[in-house]
Amino acid sequence: MISTALLGFGIVGSGTAEVLTRNQALIESRIGDSFRIRYILDLREFPDSPFAPLIVHDFNTILNDPEISVVAEMMGGSHPAYDFTKALLMAGKSVVTSNKEVVANFGTELLQIARENGVHYLFEASVGGGIPIISPLRKDFSSNRITAISGILNGTTNYILTRMKNEGAAFDDVLRDAQRLGYAERNPAADVEGLDAARKTVILAAMAFGKRLDPNAIHCEGITNITPEDCAYAESAGYAIKLIGHTSLMDGRVVAMVSPRAVRADNPIYGVNDVFNGILVEADMVGKVMFYGPGAGKLPTASAVAADMIEIMSGRTVDAAEWTDAGTDDIADFDGYVCRSLLTFDVPKEQAAGLRAVFGASDYFTGRNGKHTFVTKPMSEAETLARIASAGFPLVSRIRVLD
Ligand code: HSE
């Protein structure tokens, strides 16, 4: 009998208890052993829950119980989640987590501590909700060099952007719906300002390139400045606006960034709507591989947490390759990042040719409500900003294109 414990009985924690209980017989047949949830740590009482007898309030009850070998941390936030995780790993207990904040901030150290103590630290649920993405990166790309990963990594913002595009819905109303559905973070600023996607991008970059960047230091723009008009300008040019996390190598240095991107209809990411996430991995041997599925929500995220627990309970764990914290020399200069941009200028019709003089030939050029929207050729950040400044017309919107 394997004894497990859950830290946190919120949306993901209660979902994990449900997944493990509802599919217990199936899971036990797969791991070849029986298991139980021995404790659930939470500050609150849950008198009406069938799991009420398992609730404990003192972390030491779990830490000091030698029978507990696998713990799922679903508390959210850096502290005390990080401190509890560290103590558990040092006590020889494996930890799995959905907590992207802890993995992105402290993953290098926690993986190292797990290795030193002969236990495991797995975090499938930290990226992409219910989509298997960390596990494939741990195992199935091992014959490849990964060159880039781009994707929709936040369900809340994708849900908001989809409804803004389809219904012209107001930002605040849709955000409230996302909170009600259990997609949003406790503080939804992390979703809409891009930090949640930045943490996930940092985790993917570390999985791909072995370097962990500081999630608070990478280029990060959310969707708070995106208006229904921006969506309409993009749509008129055949694009949809998506919040994209991207990582790649530039001259051997890691680029990691989050920003709204214009995605053309022929890109598989274009059709990723609502709470779904879509992650495109590019690798030298296999080419492009797309991962798609529910990016947030109770049971999808819990399914990923449970999968990590099952992997450890089965005794067949493949650990993530070692990470190191990125130094200045490992990080690409963002000014040099090259992409095309979808630009909208407010420019009188008779002067629109002036834009062509500054930006050269463009993919698309149209007048809409007196505005002019077009796609530039690929240019570095620095060059794009310099040309915008020299255009001499008010810029209404700039959205980087995801090619
Ligand atoms: N708030 C996150 C999202 C939850 O919307 O994607 C899943 O990580």
Short mmCIF file of all heavy atoms in Angstrom, two decimals, residues 98 100 125-126 128-129 153-157 183-185 191 196 200 275 277 295-297 301, ligand 1:
data_model
loop_
_atom_site.label_atom_id
_atom_site.label_comp_id
_atom_site.label_asym_id
_atom_site.label_seq_id
_atom_site.Cartn_x
_atom_site.Cartn_y
_atom_site.Cartn_z
N SER A 98 1.22 21.23 -9.49
CA SER A 98 0.59 22.03 -10.55
C SER A 98 1.04 23.49 -10.44
O SER A 98 0.56 24.34 -11.17
CB SER A 98 -0.94 21.97 -10.38
OG SER A 98 -1.30 22.47 -9.10
N LYS A 100 2.99 26.35 -11.10
CA LYS A 100 3.97 26.87 -12.06
C LYS A 100 4.85 27.95 -11.46
O LYS A 100 5.99 28.13 -11.87
CB LYS A 100 3.27 27.39 -13.32
CG LYS A 100 2.07 28.29 -13.07
CD LYS A 100 0.77 27.55 -13.26
CE LYS A 100 -0.36 28.30 -12.59
NZ LYS A 100 -1.64 28.11 -13.20
N ALA A 125 1.34 19.21 -14.55
CA ALA A 125 0.17 20.10 -14.50
C ALA A 125 0.55 21.57 -14.44
O ALA A 125 -0.33 22.43 -14.47
CB ALA A 125 -0.68 19.75 -13.28
N SER A 126 1.85 21.86 -14.39
CA SER A 126 2.24 23.28 -14.30
C SER A 126 2.14 23.99 -15.63
O SER A 126 2.11 25.22 -15.69
CB SER A 126 3.67 23.40 -13.74
OG SER A 126 4.61 22.88 -14.66
N GLY A 128 0.00 23.93 -19.44
CA GLY A 128 -0.97 23.34 -20.37
C GLY A 128 -2.10 22.57 -19.70
O GLY A 128 -2.78 21.79 -20.38
N GLY A 129 -2.34 22.77 -18.41
CA GLY A 129 -3.47 22.11 -17.73
C GLY A 129 -3.44 20.60 -17.97
O GLY A 129 -2.51 19.91 -17.56
N LEU A 153 -0.66 29.37 -23.71
CA LEU A 153 -0.34 28.69 -22.46
C LEU A 153 -1.25 29.12 -21.33
O LEU A 153 -1.07 28.66 -20.20
CB LEU A 153 1.12 29.00 -22.07
CG LEU A 153 2.18 28.63 -23.11
CD1 LEU A 153 3.56 29.07 -22.64
CD2 LEU A 153 2.17 27.13 -23.37
N ASN A 154 -2.18 30.00 -21.60
CA ASN A 154 -3.07 30.45 -20.54
C ASN A 154 -4.53 30.33 -21.00
O ASN A 154 -4.93 30.97 -21.97
CB ASN A 154 -2.74 31.90 -20.15
CG ASN A 154 -3.59 32.40 -19.01
OD1 ASN A 154 -4.67 32.94 -19.21
ND2 ASN A 154 -3.14 32.18 -17.78
N GLY A 155 -5.27 29.50 -20.28
CA GLY A 155 -6.66 29.24 -20.68
C GLY A 155 -7.57 30.44 -20.47
O GLY A 155 -8.44 30.74 -21.29
N THR A 156 -7.34 31.16 -19.37
CA THR A 156 -8.20 32.30 -19.04
C THR A 156 -8.16 33.36 -20.14
O THR A 156 -9.19 33.82 -20.62
CB THR A 156 -7.72 32.93 -17.71
OG1 THR A 156 -7.80 31.92 -16.70
CG2 THR A 156 -8.57 34.12 -17.31
N THR A 157 -6.95 33.73 -20.55
CA THR A 157 -6.84 34.79 -21.56
C THR A 157 -7.32 34.31 -22.92
O THR A 157 -7.87 35.09 -23.70
CB THR A 157 -5.39 35.32 -21.65
OG1 THR A 157 -4.50 34.21 -21.68
CG2 THR A 157 -5.06 36.21 -20.50
N TYR A 183 -11.09 28.89 -14.04
CA TYR A 183 -9.91 28.93 -14.91
C TYR A 183 -8.86 29.90 -14.39
O TYR A 183 -7.66 29.66 -14.54
CB TYR A 183 -10.28 29.40 -16.33
CG TYR A 183 -11.32 28.58 -17.05
CD1 TYR A 183 -12.09 29.14 -18.08
CD2 TYR A 183 -11.55 27.24 -16.73
CE1 TYR A 183 -13.03 28.41 -18.77
CE2 TYR A 183 -12.51 26.50 -17.41
CZ TYR A 183 -13.24 27.09 -18.42
OH TYR A 183 -14.18 26.38 -19.10
N ALA A 184 -9.33 31.00 -13.81
CA ALA A 184 -8.42 32.11 -13.49
C ALA A 184 -7.64 31.84 -12.19
O ALA A 184 -8.08 31.07 -11.33
CB ALA A 184 -9.21 33.40 -13.36
N GLU A 185 -6.49 32.48 -12.09
CA GLU A 185 -5.71 32.43 -10.85
C GLU A 185 -6.45 33.19 -9.75
O GLU A 185 -7.31 34.02 -10.05
CB GLU A 185 -4.34 33.08 -11.07
CG GLU A 185 -3.48 32.40 -12.10
CD GLU A 185 -3.18 30.96 -11.74
OE1 GLU A 185 -2.58 30.72 -10.69
OE2 GLU A 185 -3.58 30.07 -12.51
N ASP A 191 -2.97 36.20 -14.84
CA ASP A 191 -3.42 35.71 -16.15
C ASP A 191 -3.38 36.82 -17.18
O ASP A 191 -2.71 36.70 -18.20
CB ASP A 191 -4.88 35.18 -16.04
CG ASP A 191 -5.00 33.96 -15.15
OD1 ASP A 191 -4.38 32.94 -15.48
OD2 ASP A 191 -5.74 34.02 -14.14
N ASP A 196 1.39 34.48 -15.69
CA ASP A 196 1.15 33.03 -15.65
C ASP A 196 1.76 32.38 -16.90
O ASP A 196 2.45 31.36 -16.81
CB ASP A 196 -0.35 32.76 -15.57
CG ASP A 196 -0.67 31.28 -15.53
OD1 ASP A 196 -0.49 30.66 -14.47
OD2 ASP A 196 -1.08 30.73 -16.58
N LYS A 200 5.06 29.69 -17.37
CA LYS A 200 4.98 28.45 -18.16
C LYS A 200 6.02 28.47 -19.29
O LYS A 200 6.62 27.44 -19.60
CB LYS A 200 3.56 28.28 -18.71
CG LYS A 200 2.53 28.02 -17.59
CD LYS A 200 1.11 28.21 -18.07
CE LYS A 200 0.10 27.86 -16.98
NZ LYS A 200 -1.27 28.27 -17.34
N VAL A 275 -11.03 27.85 -23.56
CA VAL A 275 -10.04 27.58 -22.50
C VAL A 275 -8.93 26.63 -22.99
O VAL A 275 -8.02 26.30 -22.25
CB VAL A 275 -10.75 26.99 -21.26
CG1 VAL A 275 -11.19 25.56 -21.51
CG2 VAL A 275 -9.89 27.09 -20.01
N ASN A 277 -5.60 25.16 -24.76
CA ASN A 277 -4.23 25.57 -25.03
C ASN A 277 -3.73 24.79 -26.23
O ASN A 277 -4.21 23.67 -26.50
CB ASN A 277 -3.30 25.24 -23.84
CG ASN A 277 -3.44 26.19 -22.66
OD1 ASN A 277 -2.67 26.11 -21.71
ND2 ASN A 277 -4.40 27.11 -22.68
N GLY A 295 -6.62 23.71 -21.23
CA GLY A 295 -5.46 24.32 -20.59
C GLY A 295 -5.67 24.72 -19.15
O GLY A 295 -4.74 25.17 -18.48
N ALA A 296 -6.87 24.60 -18.65
CA ALA A 296 -7.17 24.94 -17.26
C ALA A 296 -8.45 24.21 -16.88
O ALA A 296 -9.08 23.58 -17.73
CB ALA A 296 -7.34 26.45 -17.11
N GLY A 297 -8.79 24.30 -15.61
CA GLY A 297 -10.02 23.66 -15.16
C GLY A 297 -9.72 22.51 -14.21
O GLY A 297 -8.63 21.95 -14.21
N THR A 301 -6.72 19.57 -15.08
CA THR A 301 -5.46 19.82 -14.37
C THR A 301 -5.18 18.69 -13.38
O THR A 301 -4.04 18.21 -13.24
CB THR A 301 -5.50 21.19 -13.67
OG1 THR A 301 -5.95 22.17 -14.61
CG2 THR A 301 -4.14 21.60 -13.15
N1 HSE B 1 -5.02 30.38 -14.67
C1 HSE B 1 -4.40 29.35 -15.44
C2 HSE B 1 -4.91 29.47 -16.87
C3 HSE B 1 -4.72 28.02 -14.85
O1 HSE B 1 -5.92 30.15 -17.08
O2 HSE B 1 -4.32 28.88 -17.77
C4 HSE B 1 -3.98 26.86 -15.47
O3 HSE B 1 -2.60 26.97 -15.27
#
